[in-house]
Amino acid sequence: MAVIIDGKAVASEKRREIKNRVENLKSEGKTVGLAVIIVGENPASRVYVNNKKKGCAEVGIDSFEYALPQSTTENELRELVKKLNNDERVNGILCQLPLPEHINEDAVINTISPKKDVDAFHPQNVGHIMIGDYTFLPCTPAGIMEMLKFYNIAVSGKKCVVIGRSNIVGKPMAMLLLKENGTVEICHSRTADLKKETLSADILVAAVGKAKFVTEDMVKEGAVVIDVGMNRDENGKLCGDVDFEKVEKKASFITPVPGGVGPMTITMLLENTVRAVE
Ligand code: GUN
């Protein structure tokens, strides 16, 4: 049976440290503020945004929510971002994705000042990540690295397989594992023999977006399994990309959903917001 990685516990310890840093900044007369933009009525986005605001309150960061209607134009949204770029109360700007289809996400991300880009989505910050210079950390991958460190799971020399090649998770995850000297492979929907690849993984990261996609026959005995998924199963219950009950019996460490990667992602967003001020 695997050790279940407690993302909430790791997040809670990290948030204590962040709270102290916020207090120190406040004692120097500085404020720490995060603008959170949500467009439309995506229920999952609403949950994420609420949790991000709750996280801010927990560590003393001021959050400013901008909830815009579905009909918002790309231009209107970019005008808001420009205004926030120049707002002194706002140190970080987060625009919750996905945006409605009529809005070009890249155009919006490119409008965010790289100095306030606490998601690390701006091409300038993505470039920093590629060369191993971390002004802002990519939140989900950085949260995963913190969890591995907390549980003393070494990455150096390990075969790391990431399933998913998104700009938000898959690609930056590969970069962080590589920086820690892992031997890294990215798999995706066109990978010829996915099972063959995943069976070679000492550390397996699933960022697919499909409920219980990773089954026990795809996992090597004793592997570390990190589940980035947030899905609903056939009964409407929250579940990850990994078939937890079965894979848990084979893995050495595994993250649950919920209570694994999710709390850490938000924690790293808070960390980036503090960094923006520091
Ligand atoms: N949508 C899903 N994950 C994220 C994230 O980390 N940041 C933003 N802005 N949107 C998301």
Side-chain angles (χ1 to χ4, degrees), residues 52 94-98 119 121 140 168 265:
K52 287 170 185 180
L94 172 132
C95 183
Q96 188 65 29
L97 304 180
D119 264 323
F121 289 168
T140 300
I168 297 182
T265 296

